């Protein structure tokens, strides 16, 4: 059974897509997503950005898909699944904790 | 006056305060940046040629060793030249363009050159390399894909540890970049940095080069290590992460 924790009762459309893509591709036993966009919306790097409400996410994901992969590879896997969000939807940053079920139960 | 190599912050303060009405030329360099080798020569040659002009001071500063001074002036890439008079910054030059340097010098030195400083002695500097491009230094407009790849390769190996960040260590423009700088400093790791906000071709090119969509990005010995999350986790698992990464070639 998998646990999915979203950022709030009313997540935005981008978050919903992210949750859907991650669930489909990683079949995680645990997925938690938090929306940190408000912490960055006034930063210099976000000036002129059209998306300041769903731009920065923090994701914790536990999945067997990460077995045998080092951290850069795991992150790249997530990046490739969320490629559209990063390239076209204005998602600026993804903070990630990627673990396998085995690593979590230690 | 010929070039004075600054040895300490105290000496720097003394020399810059001594005669504020002088035109002071600050030259920031490091031992590991390729264009500095050439620019070192150029700077020296130009300074020597102006030796008789006592209204100009040429100060050479090793940006790594005197990091406080480079941070004070927000020097984000080397070679970097700043012209100052009366505590006012007249001009900043990023990169290694001898012609621009001489033009700026002539522009601001009170003794307008009746005698032309003979620039033909100065060897031409290849404009690809480690310097950033900003408005001041002319760089070929269309950089070919190949040239960009070459430049990225040089940039990622410019120092044993290279941080590609938003802003500079003294003035980060992003919380994640700031945190990664803090981690490096906490572990007393020497690192070179590059401000990707100042060069869009590197900003976009490096994303492909590293196969990584975000910044900051850390490279050790030319090998991509990851962003903030990965470095944080690596350090948590192994306190000697940086030392080990430096040794693994």
């Amino acid at each position: 059974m998998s646990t999915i924790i979203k950022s709030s009762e009313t997540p935005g459309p981008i978050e919903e897509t992210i949750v859907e893509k991650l669930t489909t591709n990683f079949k995680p036993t645990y997925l938690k997503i938090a929306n940190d966009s408000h912490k960055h919306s006034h930063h210099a790097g976000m000036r002129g950005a059209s998306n300041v409400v769903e731009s920065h996410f923090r994701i914790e994901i536990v999945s067997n898909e990460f077995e045998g992969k080092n951290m850069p590879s795991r992150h790249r896997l997530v990046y490739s699944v969320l490629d559209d969000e990063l390239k076209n939807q204005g998602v600026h940053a993804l903070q990630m904790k990627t673990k396998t079920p085995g690593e979590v139960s230690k | 006056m010929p070039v004075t190599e600054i040895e300490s912050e105290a000496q720097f303060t003394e020399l810059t305060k001594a005669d504020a009405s002088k035109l002071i030329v600050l030259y920031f360099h490091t031992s590991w940046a390729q264009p500095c080798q050439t620019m070192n020569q150029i700077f020296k040659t130009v300074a020597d040629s102006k030796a008789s002009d006592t209204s100009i001071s040429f100060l050479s500063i090793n940006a790594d060793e005197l990091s406080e001074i480079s941070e004070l002036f927000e020097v984000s890439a080397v070679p970097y030249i700043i012209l100052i008079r009366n505590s006012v910054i007249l001009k900043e030059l990023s990169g290694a363009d001898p012609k621009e340097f001489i033009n700026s010098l002539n522009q601001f030195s009170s003794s307008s050159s009746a005698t032309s400083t003979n620039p033909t002695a100065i060897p031409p500097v290849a404009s690809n390399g480690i310097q950033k491009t900003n408005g001041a230094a002319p760089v070929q407009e269309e950089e070919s894909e190949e040239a960009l790849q070459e430049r990225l390769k040089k940039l990622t190996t410019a120092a044993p540890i290279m941080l590609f960040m938003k802003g500079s260590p003294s003035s980060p423009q992003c919380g994640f970049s700031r945190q990664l700088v803090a981690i490096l400093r906490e572990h007393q790791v020497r690192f070179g940095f590059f401000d990707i906000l100042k060069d869009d071709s590197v900003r976009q090119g490096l994303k492909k080069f590293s196969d990584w969509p975000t910044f900051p990005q850390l490279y050790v010995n030319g090998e991509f290590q990851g962003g903030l999350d990965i470095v944080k986790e690596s350090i948590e698992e192994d306190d000697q992460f940086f030392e080990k990464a430096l040794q693994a070639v």
Side-chain angles (χ1 to χ4, degrees):
Chain A
M1 281 281 91
S2 66
T3 312
I4 300 183
I5 303 174
K6 298 187 189 172
S7 66
S8 70
E9 300 276 292
T10 51
I14 294 180
E15 184 177 326
E16 293 284 34
T17 319
I18 291 179
V19 169
E20 196 193 305
K21 284 187 175 179
L22 291 178
T23 318
T24 313
N25 286 279
F26 295 100
K27 302 198 177 32
T29 53
Y30 177 85
L31 172 63
K32 178 175 173 197
I33 179 164
N35 186 336
D36 284 342
S37 312
H38 57 281
K39 292 186 191 161
H40 300 267
S41 52
H42 298 296
H43 287 175
M46 294 302 290
R47 234 171 256 151
S50 48
N51 172 8
V52 296
V53 298
E54 289 204 280
S55 57
H56 293 66
F57 289 100
R58 226 180 328 129
I59 301 177
E60 280 178 43
I61 174 166
V62 181
S63 155
N64 277 308
E65 291 296 318
F66 297 132
E67 197 68 55
K69 297 190 170 72
N70 65 16
M71 277 190 276
S73 307
R74 296 182 187 188
H75 289 213
R76 283 204 177 100
L77 220 46
V78 177
Y79 281 145
S80 68
V81 166
L82 300 178
D83 190 55
D84 182 52
E85 281 69 26
L86 286 160
K87 290 217 173 90
N88 306 319
Q89 308 296 332
V91 173
H92 221 67
L94 288 175
Q95 272 188 278
M96 293 182 274
K97 275 206 170 54
T98 51
K99 298 247 181 277
T100 63
E103 284 161 2
V104 171
S105 55
K106 257 190 267 187
Chain B
M1 286 196 73
V3 179
T4 307
E5 181 71 40
I6 299 287
E7 305 284 317
S8 70
E9 276 177 64
Q11 182 194 17
F12 177 74
T13 313
E14 193 194 306
L15 287 174
T16 47
K17 295 262 154 58
D19 193 352
S21 64
K22 269 198 194 182
L23 173 64
I24 302 176
V25 185
L26 302 176
Y27 167 56
F28 292 86
H29 62 91
T30 58
S31 51
W32 46 262
Q34 282 278 40
C36 285
Q37 310 302 342
T38 329
M39 202 56 188
N40 284 344
Q41 260 312 108
I42 294 170
F43 192 69
K44 190 170 173 306
T45 310
V46 172
D48 284 342
S49 73
K50 292 274 191 193
S52 52
D53 188 341
T54 52
S55 70
I56 311 181
S57 262
F58 291 87
L59 307 181
S60 171
I61 300 160
N62 184 315
D64 279 335
E65 283 166 19
L66 295 161
S67 54
E68 297 297 341
I69 304 180
S70 18
E71 284 183 31
L72 191 63
F73 287 94
E74 305 214 329
V75 173
S76 43
V78 286
Y80 206 88
I81 295 179
I82 304 181
L83 283 81
I84 303 179
R85 178 184 279 128
N86 288 324
S87 307
V88 172
I89 294 182
L90 301 170
K91 185 121 190 174
E92 293 187 44
L93 298 168
S94 175
D97 186 332
K99 279 214 299 282
E100 257 235 301
F101 172 39
I102 294 173
N103 287 341
S104 306
L105 200 55
N106 289 334
Q107 185 183 354
F108 293 108
S109 61
S110 46
S111 56
S112 48
S113 45
T115 59
S116 56
T117 46
N118 159 19
T120 55
I122 293 162
V125 178
S127 58
N128 62 332
I130 307 171
Q131 65 269 35
K132 300 183 343 273
T133 59
N134 66 17
V139 168
Q140 54 257 47
E141 296 297 330
E142 319 271 317
E143 189 174 23
S144 69
E145 186 58 40
E146 229 176 67
L148 179 59
Q149 292 302 308
E150 263 307 298
R151 193 150 70 97
L152 292 175
K153 239 185 262 163
K154 291 212 174 97
L155 277 170
T156 53
T157 50
I161 299 188
M162 268 306 281
L163 175 63
F164 293 87
M165 63 180 291
K166 294 184 174 177
S168 63
S170 57
S171 159
Q173 296 297 306
C174 138
F176 303 130
S177 290
R178 178 183 293 111
Q179 285 183 56
L180 194 33
V181 168
I183 292 177
L184 290 167
R185 285 187 169 156
E186 201 184 299
H187 284 78
Q188 308 195 326
V189 175
R190 292 192 77 183
F191 65 97
F193 75 91
F194 187 95
D195 180 358
I196 53 111
L197 291 179
K198 298 226 170 110
D199 187 329
D200 204 57
S201 44
V202 171
R203 183 177 183 172
Q204 302 311 327
L206 200 59
K207 285 184 190 174
K208 279 198 218 115
F209 190 87
S210 319
D211 187 17
W212 199 262
T214 55
F215 288 99
Q217 290 186 13
L218 191 72
Y219 272 81
V220 175
N221 289 332
E223 298 268 316
F224 177 69
Q225 301 296 311
L228 176 64
D229 293 340
I230 293 183
V231 174
K232 251 204 246 171
E233 273 197 72
S234 306
I235 278 286
E236 264 161 43
E237 285 180 12
D238 184 356
D239 203 44
Q240 298 293 304
F241 169 68
F242 292 114
E243 287 80 354
K244 295 209 180 126
L246 278 168
Q247 274 152 29
V249 160

